[in-house]
Amino acid sequence: MYRKILHCDINNFYASVEVLHHPKLGAYPVAVGGSAEERHGIILAKNYIAKPFGIQVGMALWQAKERCKDLIIVPPDYPKYQKFSALFREILSEYSDYVEPFGLDESWVDVTDICGKPDAARLLADEIRERVKKELGLTISIGVSYNKIFAKLGSDIKKPDATTVISPTNFKKVVWGLSASDLLGVGRSAGKRLASSGINTIGDIANADAACLEHIFGKWGLHLYTYANGLDTSPVKPSSYEREIKSVGNSTTCPRDLENSNDAHIVFYNLAESVCERMREIGMMAKTVQISLRDTDLRTFERQAVLSKPSVVAAELTDTALLLLKKNYNWKLPLRSIGIRGMNLVPFEQTPQISMFEDDNKRVRTENLEFTIDGIRRRFGYLSVQRLLMYSGGKLGKLDAKSSNIIHPVGFS
Ligand SMILES: [Mg+2]
């Protein structure tokens, strides 16, 4: 029997939540946008009224204003979005023990057990849409399919407030004509790489020679082949999975051995970014940082320290990691691999917005900026945003920070 998997995606999440809190805005083109500095801010979300003006997520605020003079720009309020995200997941949890979040506004739900009859999953999807609309005031789009990849694709096909079914019998018709970059795991730059090999649609991937894809793109090419043919078998993770996460870590064997603290700084930062992104996704922050080091004689050791405040800010975790390293390592041998882990996790709470202390205000801006970057990366690919620091390290800065033991959304490992 085929699995029944829903992918539920809240439409224009940030913008919808803002309109909900300020109903008068509903009649106007609205965007959520901002960054540490207003001048360099970008659009994070928009409502449907703003869409015909050509307002796009990722666009600079000034550019958006140029396209739509009357655009109302609201600054993001992440604690509020996290609250709604939790309520959304709570509703989904009533239908299944298998609810796996992907970002704040999307979740997979495995409903195989309660959807035996044909069409049952589609009817259930419609019911969930109505409930979320009634209880949270938000519209969602749902993809219904027999694997996670197609369910996610389905939720993108009809928006807002719609259900799309992709079945083993209709998937070639529904999916194969779509652009290759619509597939989960294909970012903008990956899309270009595929196009340069003559692969433009998902159908092109599906009909390519698997060995050939692997030859050109490595293991990732094989994953894409599996996805495009509807053969992905990765399970929806149980809801308890997130609750039981005690720590989030990432480590890597470096492209070259590390010779000094500057080298280590670049790699720690790279790793800390993915660790913090993951913590933000599960709404937690770390009280303790642990580092692990392995030298070129393959001796391994670990050290840990308590942060001055619980944190989800990559720079703060990195600073503590570096201090630990400097205190505990003498560089007689280069380091072959290093890792960083956030431990003693506690629920995320934003630093109070208005504070007498400029340091706190700066911290709020940094926290907001990092949430913003998560959103952009989710949309445009991990490498779409890179810190200046990463460019100073040659090969070290180009680590794929997501390749290590951090949990990948769809079971790359
Ligand atoms: Mg969404």
Side-chain angles (χ1 to χ4, degrees):
M1 192 180 91
Y2 289 107
R3 294 183 292 162
K4 304 284 176 4
I5 296 173
L6 312 182
H7 183 264
C8 308
D9 182 352
I10 305 178
N11 303 126
N12 300 336
F13 181 46
Y14 299 169
S16 305
V17 171
E18 292 304 332
V19 170
L20 207 60
H21 280 75
H22 313 280
K24 278 187 192 148
L25 289 180
Y28 301 95
V30 175
V32 176
S35 79
E37 267 181 84
E38 185 66 14
R39 216 155 39 88
H40 298 301
I42 59 157
I43 301 289
L44 301 171
K46 56 174 193 310
N47 69 356
Y48 282 102
I49 303 180
K51 206 176 169 183
F53 292 95
I55 307 298
Q56 283 164 4
V57 173
M59 183 180 264
L61 295 187
W62 63 265
Q63 220 176 351
K65 274 280 192 190
E66 236 174 48
R67 294 200 177 177
C68 175
K69 261 199 342 288
D70 301 323
L71 184 68
I72 298 173
I73 298 172
V74 186
D77 178 350
Y78 293 101
K80 198 157 70 189
Y81 308 148
Q82 277 192 321
K83 221 174 286 163
F84 270 87
S85 175
L87 291 169
F88 173 56
R89 290 173 193 177
E90 234 172 79
I91 292 179
L92 299 179
S93 307
E94 287 182 31
Y95 297 91
S96 169
D97 292 335
Y98 293 83
V99 176
E100 180 185 340
F102 185 52
L104 291 179
D105 63 329
E106 301 178 23
S107 279
W108 282 284
V109 191
D110 190 321
V111 292
T112 310
D113 284 351
I114 53 168
C115 293
K117 292 193 185 122
D119 222 29
R122 186 182 60 80
L123 294 171
L124 182 65
D126 290 343
E127 180 188 320
I128 291 175
R129 278 197 297 115
E130 287 312 312
R131 260 198 78 178
V132 173
K133 210 186 319 179
K134 220 165 95 194
E135 292 176 28
L136 301 184
L138 299 168
T139 65
I140 64 177
S141 290
I142 301 184
V144 181
S145 195
Y146 58 104
N147 65 65
K148 284 165 78 179
I149 302 297
F150 285 175
K152 163 119 179 98
L153 262 179
S155 69
D156 272 334
I157 289 178
K158 265 182 263 158
K159 294 181 200 176
D161 197 14
T163 303
T164 302
V165 180
I166 299 176
S167 69
T169 45
N170 77 1
F171 81 90
K172 291 182 187 172
K173 221 171 83 200
V174 180
V175 169
W176 280 8
L178 299 173
S179 159
S181 56
D182 288 339
L183 203 57
L184 188 60
V186 183
R188 221 168 10 182
S189 62
K192 278 187 199 145
R193 273 173 71 202
L194 288 169
S196 69
S197 303
I199 295 171
N200 296 302
T201 63
I202 297 177
D204 290 343
I205 299 175
N207 294 305
D209 179 45
C212 196
L213 281 174
E214 189 180 11
H215 180 71
I216 305 174
F217 300 107
K219 209 172 147 197
W220 176 72
L222 270 188
H223 279 297
L224 293 188
Y225 180 83
T226 310
Y227 291 177
N229 281 293
L231 301 171
D232 168 59
T233 55
S234 61
V236 177
K237 296 197 181 86
S239 317
S240 56
Y241 184 84
E242 300 256 315
R243 284 197 296 274
E244 281 161 12
I245 294 175
K246 297 249 167 22
S247 69
V248 177
N250 195 1
S251 65
T252 189
T253 299
C254 307
R256 66 165 168 79
D257 292 340
L258 307 180
E259 307 277 350
N260 52 46
S261 308
N262 286 343
D263 286 353
H265 187 187
I266 293 165
V267 179
F268 271 141
Y269 199 101
N270 212 326
L271 297 171
E273 283 216 285
S274 63
V275 167
C276 288
E277 182 187 351
R278 177 70 181 142
M279 290 197 293
R280 286 190 292 271
E281 188 177 65
I282 59 173
M284 303 298 270
M285 52 210 284
K287 282 168 80 178
T288 304
V289 172
Q290 182 186 65
I291 60 168
S292 56
L293 309 171
R294 182 156 13 115
D295 65 22
T296 46
D297 276 351
L298 305 184
R299 269 187 310 238
T300 307
F301 49 101
E302 287 170 353
R303 291 289 181 276
Q304 57 188 62
V306 177
L307 287 152
S308 57
K309 287 180 207 164
S311 175
V312 275
V313 175
E316 294 176 358
L317 267 70
T318 304
D319 288 347
T320 302
L322 263 185
L323 274 178
L324 273 172
L325 176 80
K326 285 178 181 163
K327 242 198 260 170
N328 293 289
Y329 198 66
N330 59 18
W331 292 106
K332 278 195 182 134
L333 285 176
L335 288 172
R336 174 98 0 124
S337 80
I338 63 177
I340 185 167
R341 179 169 291 277
M343 300 168 62
N344 291 328
L345 304 186
V346 290
F348 172 78
E349 253 177 73
Q350 188 149 42
T351 310
Q353 291 270 1
I354 303 153
S355 166
M356 299 159 56
F357 303 109
E358 179 48 23
D359 270 2
D360 281 353
N361 293 330
K362 203 174 136 202
R363 193 163 195 251
V364 172
R365 288 200 295 272
T366 310
E367 284 170 359
N368 284 341
L369 181 64
E370 300 222 346
F371 271 108
T372 304
I373 291 171
D374 295 346
I376 299 168
R377 284 184 164 159
R378 197 169 289 288
R379 222 175 156 100
F380 297 117
Y382 195 79
L383 295 177
S384 60
V385 184
Q386 283 291 289
R387 313 279 170 161
L388 207 51
L389 175 69
M390 300 306 163
Y391 289 101
S392 63
K395 261 199 238 162
L396 294 181
K398 293 188 186 65
L399 286 179
D400 178 6
K402 306 213 104 178
S403 66
S404 208
N405 69 356
I406 195 132
I407 309 105
H408 191 280
V410 243
F412 286 106
S413 56

